[in-house]
Amino acid sequence: MDKPIDYIIVGLGLAGLAFAEELEAQGKTYMVFEDNSQTSSQVAGGMYNPVILKRFTPVWNAQEQLEVAIPFYGFLEKKLSGLFDEQLPIYRTFKSFEEQNNWFIAADKPVLQEYMDPELAEVEAKHVISPFKAGRLKHTGRIRVKELLNAYRDKLASKNLLRLEQFRYERIITWEDHLEYGEVKAGRIVFCEGNGIKKNPFFNNLPLTGTKGELITIHAPDLELNYVVKSAVFIMPLGDDKYKVGATFNWKDKTNLPTTEGRAELEKKLKTVINCEYRVVGHEAGVRPTTGDRRPLIGVHPDNERFAVLNGLGTRGVMIAPLMAKKLYQFIENGRPLEKEIDIRRFKSKH
Ligand SMILES: Cc1cc2nc3c(=O)[nH]c(=O)nc-3n(C[C@H](O)[C@H](O)[C@H](O)COP(=O)(O)OP(=O)(O)OC[C@H]3O[C@@H](n4cnc5c(N)ncnc54)[C@H](O)[C@@H]3O)c2cc1C
């Protein structure tokens, strides 16, 4: 009999990619299944930013996440010979003097000093409307997630480690010392399906709510913006006078389809932020794997230790995925406990 591989990974979004990389780093063998049913990582703006821009408070665990994420993407740039991490400042425009004041107060706090420039910043692009100026964030940027995922797919395909097909849960056979999926024998399966978890009979009781988001891409030659502006929408430069503009939040619709309502909402908001001509050249949507308590869903199935889950990355998959992949790996392989707030056992009674 062929020796089982160590892991099957279901899903190649940011979660699956981060776990595959962890396995590579640890010298483990694996196979990835991906069926293109979810699009969250593919359409993501890709921003990383350690400050919550509504309230000027730190993102949960931001420093620990960034300490792992930045070297992680840097390593992938070398490994895949690509440019994925664009370090870009974010300018948060203010709506009032009160907001300016809130910014000064926050920027003075020890946990935020490193990330928030205490001076008022001028948005120099002349077509951005910002009468109350802006605050500038540091250690921020954008991961080109789609390019990264595509390069990663190619790499896996070239090594015969990728199956572009739907993973069918009912086909798993669990033996005492391994499991089987068709002709693939493996030690464990890590499920990284994003909102696709709803179809997973082993983990679909977990409270993943899912929040749809839409983005448009505009062509705006007069805008001449070379950093991210966050106002009623965020505007992110892509090069060649193109910009991503987003994003909407919809808790009812769970499809990946762009809608006329979504586009109208974004354009309406965009017109309050810029006053130059533009043309919409792209429109995408995806469902973010969000949870009620805004914490990831990490852990091992209570009745079958061969099944694990890496999900619930929410609105910030770029920053959080690499650290969560490490934590899950250490938990599975070395028994290192997971913090209660990320461990799926916090929902024990509901599972
Ligand atoms: C509009 C929008 C903007 C966003 N902007 C940002 C941002 O600026 N910064 C940021 O950090 N995050 C952002 N996010 C959030 C980010 O995209 C998510 O946190 C992250 O992508 C989640 O990754 P994931 O791998 O868990 O899920 P997904 O990306 O959904 O990946 C799951 C994968 O599993 C596959 N799959 C599912 N079921 C199966 C099956 N049965 N068989 C095979 N394959 C399967 C799917 O096809 C998919 O590729 C944004 C999201 C959206 C929608």
Side-chain angles (χ1 to χ4, degrees):
M1 186 182 100
D2 287 344
K3 191 172 170 288
I5 56 171
D6 296 313
Y7 284 85
I8 288 173
I9 298 175
V10 181
L12 188 63
L14 282 166
L17 184 153
F19 200 76
E21 263 312 285
E22 187 59 25
L23 294 179
E24 288 267 337
Q26 304 286 350
K28 298 285 182 188
T29 52
Y30 63 93
M31 167 78 70
V32 181
F33 286 77
E34 168 57 51
D35 69 354
N36 299 322
S37 57
Q38 294 295 322
T39 55
S40 186
S41 299
Q42 289 282 344
V43 305
M47 250 180 331
Y48 56 89
N49 158 31
V51 181
I52 296 174
L53 293 177
K54 218 181 245 174
R55 301 187 291 272
F56 309 148
T57 50
V59 167
W60 169 71
N61 237 347
Q63 194 174 343
E64 193 187 3
Q65 289 176 27
L66 279 178
E67 275 167 13
V68 175
I70 299 303
F72 174 83
Y73 295 111
F75 177 78
L76 285 171
E77 287 190 335
K78 289 203 190 84
K79 178 169 166 173
L80 302 170
S81 310
L83 174 66
F84 306 124
D85 182 1
E86 258 184 281
Q87 289 164 13
L88 287 171
I90 298 176
Y91 283 62
R92 161 63 157 87
T93 62
F94 299 130
K95 292 193 261 313
S96 61
F97 291 119
E98 193 190 343
E99 268 203 340
Q100 284 182 352
N101 208 34
N102 292 342
W103 177 274
F104 297 139
I105 294 168
D108 208 29
K109 293 185 179 151
V111 280
L112 292 169
Q113 268 168 3
E114 178 152 359
Y115 305 121
M116 295 172 73
D117 191 329
E119 305 289 322
L120 272 188
E122 198 78 59
V123 180
E124 273 161 11
K126 63 176 188 280
H127 291 293
V128 175
I129 305 162
S130 58
F132 292 95
K133 303 197 178 175
R136 184 176 179 275
L137 290 141
K138 302 180 278 182
H139 306 296
T140 54
R142 165 178 177 247
I143 299 298
R144 297 178 178 180
V145 182
K146 191 179 283 187
E147 287 87 339
L148 169 61
L149 283 171
N150 290 343
Y152 208 82
R153 273 190 188 204
D154 291 348
K155 184 87 177 169
L156 290 183
S158 73
K159 294 198 278 178
N160 235 346
L161 301 179
L162 179 64
R163 298 277 184 88
L164 288 176
E165 64 189 59
Q166 185 185 26
F167 186 87
R168 308 278 293 272
Y169 306 94
E170 70 281 6
R171 292 194 185 156
I172 305 171
I173 304 171
T174 311
W175 298 96
E176 210 179 317
D177 59 347
H178 72 283
L179 46 84
E180 267 176 44
Y181 182 80
E183 82 294 357
V184 183
K185 299 182 181 65
R188 298 172 197 273
I189 307 183
V190 176
F191 294 104
C192 307
E193 308 114 313
N195 198 55
I197 196 174
K198 303 278 182 224
K199 295 193 179 137
N200 180 330
F202 311 110
F203 289 109
N204 62 6
N205 283 342
L206 289 172
L208 190 113
T209 41
T211 310
K212 179 171 178 174
E214 299 188 40
L215 296 150
I216 53 174
T217 304
I218 59 167
H219 183 242
D222 296 334
L223 191 52
E224 293 181 0
L225 190 63
N226 52 15
Y227 40 75
V228 178
V229 165
K230 170 73 180 91
S231 193
V233 281
F234 73 73
I235 306 175
M236 185 187 288
L238 303 175
D240 297 329
D241 298 325
K242 288 191 184 141
Y243 302 86
K244 253 186 203 237
V245 177
T248 60
F249 285 80
N250 184 325
W251 290 268
K252 286 194 188 132
D253 178 1
K254 307 289 184 196
T255 69
N256 295 317
L257 302 173
T259 63
T260 43
E261 295 77 19
R263 174 172 166 168
E265 180 188 328
L266 291 171
E267 286 204 67
K268 190 172 168 200
K269 288 183 175 165
L270 178 64
K271 284 174 184 152
T272 67
V273 187
I274 64 169
N275 57 11
C276 61
E277 296 290 312
Y278 66 85
R279 196 162 51 89
V280 176
V281 295
H283 183 186
E284 294 170 300
V287 182
R288 307 170 182 90
T290 49
T291 57
D293 63 4
R294 297 176 188 211
R295 294 291 177 266
L297 299 169
I298 310 292
V300 167
H301 196 280
D303 303 325
N304 189 335
E305 59 159 28
R306 299 192 179 281
F307 297 163
V309 64
L310 175 47
N311 209 318
L313 303 186
T315 57
R316 297 177 190 273
V318 163
M319 272 174 67
I320 202 171
L323 180 64
M324 291 306 124
K326 278 191 185 302
K327 287 188 186 264
L328 178 61
Y329 180 86
Q330 288 302 334
F331 175 63
I332 295 173
E333 294 284 342
N334 300 324
R336 194 176 294 169
L338 293 168
E339 291 92 343
K340 191 166 179 219
E341 59 187 335
I342 63 170
D343 190 335
I344 55 170
R345 284 175 291 189
R346 69 190 185 277
F347 303 112
K348 211 167 182 178
S349 56
K350 295 182 202 150
H351 203 82

